[in-house]
Amino acid sequence: MWIEKTADGKYRYVERYTDPRTGKVRRASLTRDKKSPQMKKKMELELTEKIRKLQSESEHGREEGITLKRLADLYFESKKVSVAISTAERDYKAAKTMCKILGEDTLLENVYKLDILGLLDKHDGPDAGKKNERIKRFKNWMLWARRHKYIMSVDFLDELTTYKDRSHRTKIKDKFLEVSEYHALVTGMEVKEWRMLTQFLVMSGLRIGELTALNVMDVDLTEKKIHVRKSYDAAHRKITRIKTESSIRDVHMQPELLDLVKEINNFMMNRNLLNGVRTNIFFPAPDGDYLRYYTYNKYLRENSKKICDHQISVHALRHTSASLMFEQGFTMEEVARRLGHSTSKVTREIYVHVTKTLQKKDSEKLDMFKIG
């Protein structure tokens, strides 16, 4: 073992070892603040243990004695190079919560012994929807662990049955607004900026990140098109690539949306002049920076609860756009092109829900039909 002094004044204790799978000589190191005979002895022991684990991992394809906390970190490292960072962080957060519920120091090999449903009951109480969501994400995490050979069997997942939740019809209904609820909501919104934003999202079907990323040049009044090419990641405050290839699209502005866009342009121009702000963002915050998503989301949740008697998320406005198009006779394919996705389970469920509602209305009309 030898010691290297780092640029920041710390000490790196280094040892070589042979990778049993490749036969190559590699380095293992640990960095500490101090350099002393006592520290050297301690580092020799810790490096020996680290090298043992590295060699075991290389030879067997997985770590031994891995804890849930360690597995969650490995999960995040793997996900963040294969999916959008926001998705990776969402899954990591779900895994970390399960670590808290099940015990982060629990060995992965012992997870099957836990009363997982009982621990969920203790943590979440009677909230069936929340517990079902945790079960779904936990299963995905464990299946990932099985694919990467951190665990040999996931048979215990078969015992994780879901809880009886609200009816499917009720849950779908909570994911969008009926036309009467939409009109009531925008009429009741006292902040003009948020009212116009709500109308824009429903009329266009854009995701909130797509709207936030728009520049003035992306909204073409002459061609009556919104050029959707990018998105804004509110968590990391940066422009990112669009969600999928099908999301890259030109959204036609119908007369109602075109009039709204002109109103937004006038509002933003006057506000920017008043605040002494110069920006080319289509829907900026008052200081000219990108929109504060969380401020708007809080306002929407509070007002939808107060006005419509059920709380909705910003994404529910996109579902509302789909619902209103279905009611007016647009097909699944037409709505999918407008919204910019190739498939959506929720959109399909809304389509079925709306179709059944329309069929019921048709039946009620037919009940009034008679001859002579």
Side-chain angles (χ1 to χ4, degrees):
M1 183 183 77
W2 71 95
I3 305 171
E4 301 172 345
K5 191 170 185 178
T6 65
D8 58 359
K10 296 183 179 182
Y11 297 92
R12 183 183 297 116
Y13 294 80
V14 190
E15 184 64 276
R16 291 191 179 93
Y17 72 97
T18 301
D19 187 323
R21 183 168 57 85
T22 65
K24 292 183 178 181
V25 176
R26 301 189 181 280
R27 286 169 40 125
S29 66
L30 293 168
T31 302
R32 297 293 184 268
D33 293 328
K34 297 179 181 180
K35 176 185 176 183
S36 67
Q38 293 84 358
M39 181 62 73
K40 183 177 179 181
K41 289 182 180 179
K42 182 180 179 182
M43 289 301 97
E44 285 176 346
L45 293 174
E46 290 189 14
L47 273 175
T48 298
E49 177 61 18
K50 181 174 181 178
I51 289 171
R52 185 193 70 77
K53 288 184 177 180
L54 289 170
Q55 288 177 323
S56 176
E57 181 180 355
S58 175
E59 185 174 10
H60 301 293
R62 63 186 181 96
E63 295 182 21
E64 293 180 347
I66 190 168
T67 64
L68 288 182
K69 182 178 184 299
R70 173 60 177 156
L71 186 70
D73 292 337
L74 291 168
Y75 187 46
F76 179 56
E77 292 301 316
S78 173
K79 296 280 284 187
K80 72 181 183 181
V81 298
S82 60
V83 298
I85 187 64
S86 57
T87 302
E89 289 184 340
R90 179 201 66 196
D91 292 342
Y92 181 54
K93 182 179 179 181
K96 293 287 282 185
T97 300
M98 286 303 290
C99 284
K100 178 182 177 182
I101 294 171
L102 304 180
E104 63 178 21
D105 293 328
T106 299
L107 292 175
L108 178 60
E109 63 196 57
N110 293 331
V111 168
Y112 77 95
K113 299 178 182 178
L114 298 176
D115 178 13
I116 296 174
L117 295 180
L119 291 169
L120 285 173
D121 287 337
K122 183 177 180 180
H123 187 269
D124 294 318
D127 192 334
K130 184 178 289 186
K131 290 186 287 190
N132 287 340
E133 183 66 21
R134 294 202 199 287
I135 290 171
K136 173 186 171 184
R137 296 195 182 281
F138 178 69
K139 285 184 175 181
N140 288 339
W141 182 25
M142 291 297 106
L143 289 171
W144 172 88
R146 175 67 184 88
R147 287 196 302 273
H148 290 78
K149 303 192 184 310
Y150 291 111
I151 187 172
M152 292 299 100
S153 174
V154 289
D155 290 346
F156 66 95
L157 294 179
D158 295 337
E159 299 175 5
L160 294 183
T161 55
T162 55
Y163 292 78
K164 185 177 180 181
D165 202 354
R166 295 174 300 158
S167 71
H168 185 71
R169 180 184 178 86
T170 302
K171 291 180 70 175
I172 287 296
K173 177 63 183 66
D174 284 349
K175 293 183 181 294
F176 67 95
L177 297 173
E178 301 284 1
V179 63
S180 59
E181 293 175 319
Y182 163 70
H183 286 305
L185 177 63
V186 296
T187 301
M189 284 182 157
E190 297 178 357
V191 179
K192 184 176 182 179
E193 175 186 10
W194 297 146
R195 181 174 70 249
M196 292 190 300
L197 178 56
T198 301
Q199 291 173 304
F200 183 91
L201 291 172
V202 172
M203 291 181 191
S204 68
L206 264 66
R207 300 177 178 91
I208 184 64
E210 294 171 344
L211 169 280
T212 306
L214 290 176
N215 289 330
V216 174
M217 296 299 293
D218 295 323
V219 184
D220 191 334
L221 296 178
T222 303
E223 294 294 326
K224 301 179 183 178
K225 292 185 183 301
I226 301 170
H227 305 300
V228 182
R229 301 290 183 272
K230 54 191 179 296
S231 186
Y232 180 74
D233 183 342
H236 299 89
R237 299 184 61 78
K238 65 179 182 179
I239 296 294
T240 63
R241 59 184 174 82
I242 208 72
K243 189 172 182 181
T244 61
E245 286 298 320
S246 57
S247 295
I248 299 174
R249 64 199 188 281
D250 289 334
V251 175
H252 174 72
M253 287 190 282
Q254 66 274 29
E256 185 181 35
L257 178 55
L258 190 62
D259 289 341
L260 176 64
V261 166
K262 292 175 182 178
E263 183 183 358
I264 291 172
N265 283 342
N266 289 332
F267 176 86
M268 293 303 173
M269 182 177 65
N270 291 330
R271 192 179 70 178
N272 290 341
L273 285 172
L274 184 65
N275 294 342
V277 167
R278 297 183 66 181
T279 180
N280 66 345
I281 299 173
F282 169 67
F283 206 110
D287 61 359
D289 200 356
Y290 287 104
L291 184 73
R292 271 62 162 177
Y293 163 78
Y294 300 104
T295 303
Y296 171 59
N297 187 49
K298 181 175 182 293
Y299 181 83
L300 178 66
R301 286 179 175 274
E302 290 174 351
N303 278 265
S304 60
K305 178 65 175 177
K306 179 177 66 176
I307 298 169
C308 304
D309 199 31
H310 68 103
Q311 187 171 274
I312 63 167
S313 66
V314 175
H315 201 70
L317 298 177
R318 181 168 158 86
H319 296 155
T320 299
S321 184
S323 170
L324 297 178
M325 289 183 71
F326 288 142
E327 282 194 12
Q328 295 183 39
F330 288 85
T331 65
M332 273 290 300
E333 291 72 21
E334 289 168 332
V335 173
R337 286 196 296 271
R338 174 83 167 179
L339 271 58
H341 57 220
S342 55
T343 180
S344 169
K345 179 182 177 182
V346 173
T347 302
R348 189 169 294 278
E349 288 172 338
I350 291 172
Y351 171 71
V352 172
H353 172 81
V354 172
T355 301
K356 287 180 178 178
T357 301
L358 293 175
Q359 288 173 345
K360 182 180 178 182
K361 290 179 180 179
D362 288 344
S363 297
E364 291 171 353
K365 286 182 179 180
L366 285 170
D367 287 340
M368 304 297 292
F369 176 69
K370 61 181 178 179
I371 301 175

